[in-house]
Amino acid sequence: MKGTFRKIVAGVMAVLLMQLSLPVTSFGEESAPRVVQVIGADADGDMRDTEQEGSVAEAASLAGDDVVTVTARAHSVDPDGWSATVTYEKPQAGVPTEFTISADGGPKGSGSYQYQQGFIYKYDPYIWIYDPTFPPAETFRDSNVLSYQFVGAGRYQYQFVVRDTETARYMRFSFEVEVAGDGFIDANEKAREIVAECLPDGNVDDYETALVLHDWIIDNVSYDHTFRNMSVDRALSGMAVTCEGYHAAYVKLLEAAGMETGRIEGGGHVWTAVKMDGK
């Protein structure tokens, strides 16, 4: 029976995960940016053609080594008077980090603003880990305090949108956040730990390895029904993610076990392909 099943799955082991559509965002941004935006460096990113220039975020200033204030980058060729600064305490593991935004619409601004959570990306590589647009999309709120719980160590780009409630003008901003310290995971190290726990004798059999690691994902990860979170760090920490997070975590575990993987898409679904027995 096992041999027959091997013939069916050899070459590709597909784990059907829950549906995830990738719409063009309400911010006019492509779902997968083509070039990294470098905040605070000489080169601006190229998130879209109209964003090749703009005010670059200033270096963060520290108060008591715990509080950071940073000037955010306006995503426009012409910021049209918009500016924003963000203040937050350095991220701590296990709790959300709160970001307090001070926005100014310039001479055209009314002084009355609302705020919307934007995309969050993680660098090295540049990975999309939070999607605010899946219906129902994030709404504008009166509070100027936004938050996000970081799980993995590294450098992030955090985006938000400010809207003038009286003039309907709006601007998208971004800034960088450095996350480090006790309690934040490294996905590669975490994957190696899980593989060592699940496969104490290593990858003795490709099928068994793929099955055991698949079962770890199923037993430890839950689906994020807000359709927002897709971080591999969250998945490897046993937190809720969308199918992108399931796929990313399974790939990370398989590669840590020395197996080759692939990605299959279609109809809004994501599958993980696994090369077994050289096929």
Side-chain angles (χ1 to χ4, degrees):
M1 181 68 176
K2 180 177 174 181
T4 300
F5 187 67
R6 275 178 176 277
K7 292 180 181 179
I8 296 174
V9 301
V12 176
M13 179 178 181
V15 180
L16 177 60
L17 303 173
M18 296 190 70
Q19 183 171 353
L20 174 70
S21 61
L22 303 176
V24 175
T25 77
S26 59
F27 307 118
E29 179 181 5
E30 297 174 0
S31 295
R34 292 177 284 114
V35 180
V36 173
Q37 288 179 327
V38 181
I39 310 302
D42 291 334
D44 290 330
D46 188 16
M47 297 288 287
R48 55 178 180 173
D49 292 339
T50 60
E51 294 174 3
Q52 295 178 359
E53 299 179 0
S55 58
V56 178
E58 298 175 358
S61 60
L62 303 179
D65 294 330
D66 292 324
V67 178
V68 178
T69 297
V70 62
T71 301
R73 175 185 186 270
H75 284 232
S76 177
V77 172
D78 178 11
D80 195 27
W82 281 100
S83 63
T85 59
V86 183
T87 300
Y88 60 95
E89 293 187 2
K90 288 186 176 180
Q92 300 295 316
V95 295
T97 299
E98 293 189 341
F99 301 97
T100 301
I101 302 166
S102 298
D104 184 355
K108 299 179 182 178
S110 69
S112 176
Y113 306 113
Q114 290 182 319
Y115 307 83
Q116 183 187 53
Q117 173 71 63
F119 289 89
I120 302 174
Y121 297 87
K122 188 177 182 182
Y123 289 96
D124 303 321
Y126 194 59
I127 301 172
W128 182 26
I129 65 166
Y130 184 89
D131 176 8
T133 65
F134 198 96
E138 292 277 3
T139 59
F140 281 92
R141 61 195 73 175
D142 293 332
S143 174
N144 67 330
V145 180
L146 304 177
S147 66
Y148 180 76
Q149 182 175 340
F150 297 97
V151 178
R155 184 165 59 100
Y156 295 80
Q157 182 191 93
Y158 190 101
Q159 299 186 9
F160 62 93
V161 180
V162 182
R163 179 176 68 182
D164 191 313
T165 61
E166 296 186 15
T167 66
R169 294 169 62 241
Y170 68 92
M171 181 59 64
R172 182 160 56 93
F173 294 90
S174 68
F175 61 98
E176 290 188 351
V177 182
E178 292 286 349
V179 176
D182 295 340
F184 294 110
I185 74 164
D186 176 276
N188 292 321
E189 292 180 2
K190 184 66 175 179
R192 288 192 290 268
E193 292 175 6
I194 294 170
V195 170
E197 177 184 342
C198 294
L199 301 165
D201 297 325
N203 180 16
V204 176
D205 179 277
D206 282 351
Y207 171 75
E208 293 297 337
T209 293
L211 181 60
V212 167
L213 297 180
H214 161 271
D215 289 348
W216 186 93
I217 295 287
I218 298 304
D219 292 341
N220 290 276
V221 184
S222 59
Y223 194 81
D224 178 16
H225 293 283
T226 69
F227 309 108
R228 297 281 186 262
N229 296 287
M230 55 192 73
S231 164
V232 65
D233 298 320
R234 287 178 60 90
L236 293 178
S237 298
M239 302 172 71
V241 292
T242 64
C243 64
E244 291 287 348
Y246 274 78
H247 169 72
Y250 192 34
V251 166
K252 189 68 73 174
L253 293 179
L254 289 165
E255 291 181 346
M259 300 187 68
E260 295 184 37
T261 67
R263 177 187 177 93
I264 302 173
E265 300 178 355
H269 296 279
V270 177
W271 292 264
T272 301
V274 185
K275 187 176 183 180
M276 294 184 289
D277 302 325
K279 302 179 181 179

